[in-house]
Amino acid sequence: MNKASVVELKLPILALPDTVVFPKQNVIVDIAGKAAMLAVQTGMGSCDQTLFLVAQKGPSSESGEIGDVYPIGTVAKVQQVLLAYEDRLRLQVHGLYRGQVTELQNGSLCTMAMVARAEETGRQDDMAARAMRRVAANRFKKYLNITERLEPNLLRRLQAAADCGEAADIIAQETDFNYADKADALCELDARDRLETIASKLDLELQIAQMETDIRDKTLMRMDQNQKSYYIREKMQVMRGELGEEDDEDEFDAYEAEIRGLKLEEETEKKLLKELSRLRRQPFGSQEGAVIRNYLDTVLELPWNQTTKDRADVEAARKILDKDHFGLEKVKERILETIAVRKLAPDMPPQIICLVGPPGVGKTSVAYSVARCLNRKLARISLGGVHDEADIRGHRKTYVGAMPGRIMAAVSQAGSCNPILLLDEIDKMGADYRGDPSAALLEVLDGEQNKTYRDHYLEIPFDLSKVMFIATANTLDTVPRPLLDRMEIIELGSYTDEEKLMIAKDHLVGKQLRKHGIKRSLLRITDEALREIITCYTRESGVRNLERSIEEICRKAAMQLADAEDPKRITVTGKNIPDFLGVRKFQPEKLGDTDEVGLVTGLAWTSVGGETLEVEVNVMDGSGKLELTGNLGDVMKESAHAAMSYIRSHTDTLGIDRDFYKTKDIHVHFPEGAVPKDGPSAGVTVCTALVSALTATPVRRDVAMTGEISIRGRVLPIGGLKEKTMAALRHGISTVVIPKANEKDLEEIDQTVRKHLQFVTAETVDTVLHTALDRSL
């Protein structure tokens, strides 16, 4: 081996796990993995767009790091990017010359290699070299003929090769040598030895290719025999028909009788009979015949004329709802109204209802209760994570593995054409290049269009107007507006602590005792223990975690009962609850001991219910900077600036120095900085905290507030008042300041909350400040 050239280049190194690129050859290579993509990105960013391509000895690591590679590689130029995806590339590269790695370095994006040119050795113009080149060329020509690769241009390139080394590289690149043999050929710098090795391996490839040809010929011969057998079977089938023996006609007659017996519309019946006619003409065992059979079976399994009789009994429905659910009066009332309308007008199309609320408040279970009330069958469609329109509408039956969409599959599963379809988690659908499933639902949920709903797989109209759709969602923010317009929204709010206690006593405890096989006489969970679980072990809008905690108590109790020879009754109280559930996960919320300056309690709404939100303000000598911290969103930052604008325009009224914005630095902070916060409802809270800090006036610690602020000092309405007031009660607040426009929403607040809280309605910030600031000091 000659010594490497003194000139070295610093190139990004790319280890190819299944491709070897030789000098002066154009090759298509596939790139995958983050490290490889970064290497290509670095090479493409250089002026000459070159990479150093090496063969890899071992399997590639999951991290994409450069492992054990061959010492010799190829300096190659990227000619073209043929395909580009998110995680892979297809490139056309041209090998320039062999190179040898002298040093590996860590670059900013990928591993870089110092590469020196590796010069070829050995005589290439003597008689032996010319003879070997001729032998290799003849074998390569035979190889192309056997493998039916008639490429005249390839042979011309081989004849025009400048020397033995280039001829060896062309043959090695274009034959099906295994990866290791190609890599060894690339590392062989003696041109004559390389050509001799390749000619030897080419002889072996000729033998393998000849064997493959013989096998292919035998296979074709057997296929001819199969065709002959098929012809004979078809002839025998005709003869059996002539003799009156049983054949496929019985199956076809059964299909036709079933189609005509359904009494379908003319268009649908004509379509199915046409498909049956095509099936009759299909040869035995054909793939098209299997597709048509599957299509007919799917269509005939649909409940075309099967319905369940509605039970329009309002009193019976009320008993079922009260038994299954505690509270939820607004939801129950709406469901009973629907049943009453069904009793008076049975032919009226059912309404499309969307139940919206935090997790665990009973949205899905309400749908099951409605099905029991109406005596209808129910099928659940989970839409969470669905991002393909074909999931809703189905696939064209020309595709392999095609099937109906989820809507028709659910109707078929229900077994009636008037079921209740539960569209669960409708707010969690996505959309990508395959379509938008929410747009496909527009036709499904439109009472004027779904009478003739056409699934892509069925290609015939199906009447969905008798179907009652109930959708569930945690939030409406992600549901498209046209889809919302087609549904009646019913909100399910958070449960109060008293409601959770009653649900646990009446439903959850008994359910878990039965589930774990424990008699009520052996395990008692006191009200005190349940209250402790609600306040100190679960912080949620619903009762899902509460049920899990009761389940955990039952498991611990089952262990004690199973180990005892003479089991005694176990009583769970507020004092021994840590023995079953461990230490408290949440400490009871308490008010501070004293009123503080610049510290105000606000109220916030989250997807899991209401929360209290403290705002802290510090005022320092400075140059007028306003700093906002606490992982705030843009809307909340704008609320803080709106509050500053109001204060600056009312400095005389508020008793604040007119130049405070020039001489003071103000820091507004929302604790729990790891939690993102956004929304306009903290506007009055920020304003009160700023005024308190600038005037050194304490804020009453028993007052909480919520409301959006305008730059003119108006207090604007907010949402989630029910959940926010529950959070205030839990925190020990006695007075809550709300916008005047939200006064009407007080009717929806639980009576327990209204009894313990004093509500102050405010149209302007003046009312808020008068209520919250303690000016007696």
Side-chain angles (χ1 to χ4, degrees), residues 134-351:
R134 185 172 300 176
V135 169
N138 289 334
R139 291 180 180 176
F140 186 58
K141 185 175 181 181
K142 290 180 181 179
Y143 174 84
L144 294 178
N145 289 332
I146 291 176
T147 56
E148 298 181 356
R149 291 178 57 190
L150 303 178
E151 301 182 26
N153 185 48
L154 194 57
L155 293 175
R156 286 195 292 269
R157 284 179 52 208
L158 183 60
Q159 293 173 357
D163 48 42
C164 293
E166 184 178 348
D169 292 344
I170 293 174
I171 296 173
Q173 190 74 71
E174 300 297 336
T175 50
D176 294 330
F177 293 161
N178 65 51
Y179 179 77
D181 290 341
K182 286 190 175 186
D184 291 337
L186 182 65
C187 294
E188 179 58 67
L189 297 181
D190 189 299
R192 187 195 296 178
D193 290 347
R194 182 164 73 248
L195 184 59
E196 183 177 356
T197 302
I198 287 175
S200 176
K201 293 186 180 299
L202 192 55
D203 187 52
L204 178 62
E205 286 293 326
L206 280 172
Q207 298 177 31
I208 296 174
Q210 186 62 51
M211 291 177 64
E212 290 178 348
T213 302
D214 294 340
I215 293 172
R216 185 173 68 250
D217 292 339
K218 291 179 181 179
T219 303
L220 291 174
M221 186 179 298
R222 289 185 180 180
M223 289 177 62
D224 291 338
Q225 292 175 352
N226 291 336
Q227 290 290 334
K228 183 179 179 180
S229 300
Y230 169 74
Y231 172 76
I232 294 173
R233 283 196 300 269
E234 286 292 312
K235 190 172 182 180
M236 290 174 63
Q237 186 174 351
V238 173
M239 293 173 65
R240 283 198 302 268
E242 292 294 328
L243 294 173
E245 296 180 359
E246 184 175 329
D247 57 12
D248 287 343
E249 287 300 321
D250 290 344
E251 179 191 12
F252 300 148
D253 292 342
Y255 274 130
E256 183 173 357
E258 190 171 358
I259 293 170
R260 295 189 184 277
L262 290 175
K263 304 297 182 182
L264 303 174
E265 293 184 2
E266 182 180 356
E267 176 190 356
T268 303
E269 184 175 302
K270 185 177 179 182
K271 166 71 174 175
L272 297 181
L273 291 176
K274 182 179 179 181
E275 292 294 327
L276 179 59
S277 177
R278 289 180 57 210
L279 179 61
R280 292 178 187 270
R281 297 194 298 269
Q282 296 301 316
F284 177 79
S286 71
Q287 182 178 358
E288 181 67 16
V291 171
I292 298 175
R293 274 188 176 85
N294 186 48
Y295 171 76
L296 290 175
D297 289 340
T298 302
V299 173
L300 295 177
E301 286 175 0
L302 291 173
W304 289 97
N305 299 312
Q306 303 175 30
T307 59
T308 55
K309 186 177 180 180
D310 282 352
R311 179 171 56 198
D313 189 336
V314 177
E315 287 303 319
R318 179 179 284 111
K319 292 179 180 179
I320 292 175
L321 292 173
D322 289 339
K323 180 181 178 182
D324 292 348
H325 300 277
F326 180 84
L328 303 179
E329 299 302 330
K330 184 178 179 181
V331 180
K332 292 177 181 178
E333 181 182 356
R334 178 63 186 86
I335 294 169
L336 294 175
E337 290 172 358
T338 300
I339 296 174
V341 171
R342 299 294 298 172
K343 184 176 182 178
L344 299 177
D347 297 330
M348 180 179 177
Q351 296 294 315

Side-chain angles (χ1 to χ4, degrees), residues 15-85:
L16 302 177
D18 53 7
T19 306
V20 179
V21 178
F22 287 85
K24 300 183 180 179
Q25 308 301 314
N26 294 327
V27 184
I28 304 297
V29 295
D30 290 320
I31 307 299
K34 182 178 180 181
M37 299 281 281
L38 292 174
V40 173
Q41 179 183 343
T42 304
M44 294 290 290
S46 63
C47 59
D48 52 359
Q49 296 186 341
T50 54
L51 301 166
F52 184 59
L53 308 180
V54 292
Q56 196 164 284
K57 289 186 177 180
S60 58
S61 65
E62 294 182 358
S63 62
E65 296 178 356
I66 301 298
D68 193 9
V69 297
Y70 285 83
I72 302 295
T74 303
V75 176
K77 178 181 178 63
V78 179
Q79 291 184 322
Q80 189 177 2
V81 177
L82 301 178
L83 289 174
Y85 296 99

